[in-house]
Amino acid sequence: MTIPADGSPAEYAYMDGNALAGPLSEVFTVDVTTATSRCAHCGRTGPVAALRVYAHAPGLVARCEGCDEVVLRMVRGTQTLWLDLRGAVALAFPMDGA
């Protein structure tokens, strides 16, 4: 967990995108954290593992490392999982043998 150096309160602490590996494995058969994402707001590209993940809400919120806009939201209910990717223009997955 990373707490911002500016002395912000602990609720602003975040984890890197690797924290999404377990929860997203419930939906995808590939490791989504290895995919490259493009932020819909600033256009920055980078691995999903580099997103800043906040778990202080009733779910996970992943923000762009560059502009801090929301790229991904994930909330799990008792029988439903909601995944909002509207903050990502695309996800590019590395393929074996390609």
Side-chain angles (χ1 to χ4, degrees), residues 4-95:
D6 65 2
S8 299
E11 65 262 19
Y12 296 112
Y14 60 89
M15 300 171 280
D16 69 26
N18 287 305
L20 296 169
L24 287 175
S25 72
E26 294 184 63
V27 179
F28 297 98
T29 59
V30 298
D31 182 0
V32 177
T33 63
T34 65
T36 299
S37 65
R38 179 182 301 273
C39 177
H41 181 74
C42 72
R44 182 183 182 119
T45 61
V48 170
L51 296 173
R52 294 179 177 173
V53 179
Y54 297 84
H56 310 296
L60 299 172
V61 175
R63 293 181 172 272
C64 176
E65 187 179 27
C67 70
D68 207 37
E69 288 292 316
V70 174
V71 174
L72 177 152
R73 294 175 188 91
M74 183 176 177
V75 176
R76 189 165 194 345
T78 55
Q79 296 183 358
T80 307
L81 185 140
W82 289 271
L83 182 59
D84 177 354
L85 290 166
R86 76 181 91 180
V89 171
L91 293 177
F93 295 89
M95 301 298 290

